[in-house]
Amino acid sequence: MAFFLQQGYGMKQLNEEFANKFSNLGVILSPRSLQRNTGIENLEEHSKKLKKKGVNILFDPQFYEPRTNLEKILQFPYFEGLDYLTLEFNSQVASKFSINCLKYQDLTLQTDQLIIPNIYSNSFNDDWISIQEYLIDGGLKYDSSKKKYLSLPLGPDLIRNKNAFDELISIYIQYEDIDGFYVVLKSPSDYLISDEDYLYSVLDAFTSLNLSGKEIILGYANQQSLIYGAAGVSIIASGNYRNVRTFDPDIFYEDDTNEDIRRRGIWYYDPNTLGEYRPQELSLAFNRGLRNFFDKECEYCEMLLSSDQPANIPWNEPLPFKHFLLELRKQWLDIATIPLDKRIDYIISFFEGVVENNERLRSKGFRFGRRSFNSDVIESTLNALYAFKSDRKYDLKQLEDFSII
């Protein structure tokens, strides 16, 4: 198991700092993370710097919305000559596009593994499956000894449709020449998920993929994604802003002119409760004698938690991002130390501990805000885990522990 950084807007310095700090780091580079009016050579140079530091590099082609109007995505060379609005995306065109995409990853960025592009879908339909087959065909035709992962960008309606989702997973299992999957899932809610059927379906699917010998990289992860350590997921990747902690295909099409405004807000991630809180909320809690409930200091949050008035501390970006990613990485790698056949019990115990921590704070009159790991989320998470453990307890003993770095 390993933890990757999902490159978001303005993460170059953070990527390089973490690369200096950790020896087993990976970074998933992103076309959309380029700053406005910045050329692709900027990303290529960043890739070279990270490679020299020993970072495992992946590149997300972000072909989720083929009719995108974002120039920062369209400027990449594998889009050259592709006019999706007027061109029939047939087997020949799609295959060539996929080959060019892998060629760019392999020869220009020199990524350690290759990601085959794929289109986002929220339903199981023949047209989507056909285009997917064309893209896979091209990806497999590209001659390389590097591992190849198929991008799986899936919507919540598809995952909730049990028959369709089961059929889709059975198709993926049969792709013998694909080493694994780079999975990005659109949440059925804004961020954290309180749908236990959805969570169960994802756990179930990941287990089936792992048992078939496929490695799983889960992109756009957040603190709730820790549950997938019980289902054989090799890697989770997360980033700074929320749009790289939860997948939304819309951001790969719409105009992002006002993106800077939408991103603003300083939040402290508490690994004890899995919630995120504003410094003002911490100040009130500390003044009421609740400081000991927030006792996991790291190098990035020490100045905040050691103050009597966190609201008055200039704890600005990127410190909250570094703190979140440092803590999430630690939590994920803690799971990796547990034997595979015992991880489900460890993760259930971990989330039950979150319930206890939340209840202790609640009993002291602490008011959980809109970014808390609320009771609906935690109950749905635990319900899914208990059902998953009961239904697949024998399969869980057969899971394989993959790691690409």
Side-chain angles (χ1 to χ4, degrees), residues 67-85:
R67 295 175 175 84
T68 180
N69 62 359
L70 294 182
E71 182 58 33
K72 62 174 68 176
I73 292 178
L74 294 173
Q75 67 176 309
F76 282 81
Y78 46 86
F79 275 97
E80 186 176 346
L82 179 67
D83 184 355
Y84 203 94
L85 294 176

Side-chain angles (χ1 to χ4, degrees), residues 19 25 27 54 72 75 93 103 106 119 145 150 224 279 283 289 301 304 334-335 338 363 377 397 399:
L25 186 73
V27 173
K72 62 174 68 176
Q75 67 176 309
V93 174
K103 182 179 179 180
D106 187 24
I119 297 173
S145 61
L150 174 64
Q224 193 173 22
S283 285
C301 71
L304 186 76
D334 282 347
I335 294 172
I338 307 301
S363 71
V377 171
K397 298 178 181 179
L399 291 173

Side-chain angles (χ1 to χ4, degrees), residues 88-107:
E88 181 182 357
F89 204 61
N90 56 32
S91 59
Q92 183 177 0
V93 174
S95 179
K96 182 179 179 181
F97 175 85
S98 189
I99 290 172
N100 290 340
C101 185
L102 268 64
K103 182 179 179 180
Y104 176 77
Q105 297 175 54
D106 187 24
L107 302 183

Side-chain angles (χ1 to χ4, degrees), residues 2-6 27-28 56-59 113-115 147-152 179-185 206 209 214-221 228 232-238 332 402-405:
F3 181 83
F4 278 28
L5 296 175
Q6 187 94 47
V27 173
I28 302 178
N56 187 289
I57 300 295
L58 283 170
F59 176 77
Q113 297 83 26
L114 306 174
I115 295 179
K147 289 183 177 180
K148 295 176 180 177
Y149 298 85
L150 174 64
S151 178
L152 295 189
D179 296 288
F181 299 95
Y182 168 58
V183 184
V184 292
L185 305 175
F206 284 162
L209 291 173
K214 307 299 185 185
E215 302 175 31
I216 304 165
I217 302 171
L218 178 64
Y220 297 82
Y228 301 123
V233 171
S234 301
I235 291 166
I236 61 171
S238 188
W332 180 252
F402 295 108
S403 182
I404 67 174
I405 62 173

Side-chain angles (χ1 to χ4, degrees), residues 76-319:
F76 282 81
Y78 46 86
F79 275 97
E80 186 176 346
L82 179 67
D83 184 355
Y84 203 94
L85 294 176
T86 60
L87 188 67
E88 181 182 357
F89 204 61
N90 56 32
S91 59
Q92 183 177 0
V93 174
S95 179
K96 182 179 179 181
F97 175 85
S98 189
I99 290 172
N100 290 340
C101 185
L102 268 64
K103 182 179 179 180
Y104 176 77
Q105 297 175 54
D106 187 24
L107 302 183
T108 302
L109 294 179
Q110 298 183 5
T111 60
D112 293 274
Q113 297 83 26
L114 306 174
I115 295 179
I116 299 172
N118 202 357
I119 297 173
Y120 168 79
S121 182
N122 196 26
S123 65
F124 188 101
N125 60 79
D126 291 340
D127 289 342
W128 175 61
I129 292 295
S130 294
I131 292 175
Q132 186 172 241
E133 292 284 353
Y134 302 154
L135 292 166
I136 293 170
D137 178 69
L140 295 180
K141 282 180 178 176
Y142 180 75
D143 186 18
S144 173
S145 61
K146 295 178 180 178
K147 289 183 177 180
K148 295 176 180 177
Y149 298 85
L150 174 64
S151 178
L152 295 189
L154 306 176
D157 293 342
L158 173 54
I159 292 172
R160 285 167 166 159
N161 185 336
K162 178 172 174 49
N163 291 335
F165 192 42
D166 286 349
E167 182 178 352
L168 185 63
I169 295 301
S170 68
I171 291 174
Y172 292 145
I173 287 172
Q174 297 173 42
Y175 291 141
E176 295 181 358
D177 295 328
I178 290 177
D179 296 288
F181 299 95
Y182 168 58
V183 184
V184 292
L185 305 175
K186 179 173 170 52
S187 171
S189 54
D190 180 47
Y191 189 59
L192 301 176
I193 301 167
S194 57
D195 183 336
E196 54 209 61
D197 287 331
Y198 175 94
L199 294 170
Y200 176 93
S201 292
V202 177
L203 285 163
D204 192 54
F206 284 162
T207 300
S208 296
L209 291 173
N210 178 285
L211 292 173
S212 71
K214 307 299 185 185
E215 302 175 31
I216 304 165
I217 302 171
L218 178 64
Y220 297 82
N222 57 49
Q223 58 267 45
Q224 193 173 22
S225 305
L226 294 170
I227 67 172
Y228 301 123
V233 171
S234 301
I235 291 166
I236 61 171
S238 188
N240 50 1
Y241 295 105
R242 279 205 168 192
N243 62 14
V244 280
R245 299 182 194 175
T246 185
F247 176 70
D248 181 1
D250 289 343
I251 70 170
F252 299 97
Y253 182 82
E254 64 185 14
D255 184 5
D256 62 350
T257 302
N258 296 319
E259 186 177 7
D260 291 346
I261 298 174
R262 293 199 300 268
R263 282 198 302 253
R264 294 304 174 206
I266 301 299
W267 299 82
Y268 164 78
Y269 171 62
D270 175 38
N272 295 312
T273 62
L274 302 187
E276 297 174 56
Y277 312 108
R278 293 180 293 112
Q280 293 88 338
E281 293 171 311
L282 294 181
S283 285
L284 177 59
F286 288 11
N287 288 336
R288 299 182 56 243
L290 304 181
R291 178 191 301 274
N292 290 338
F293 287 88
F294 307 90
D295 61 352
K296 289 192 175 181
E297 294 182 8
C298 74
E299 61 188 284
Y300 299 122
C301 71
E302 182 178 3
M303 63 185 297
L304 186 76
L305 297 191
S306 62
S307 172
D308 293 330
Q309 292 293 330
N312 296 333
I313 298 299
W315 197 62
N316 300 320
E317 299 173 3
L319 288 175

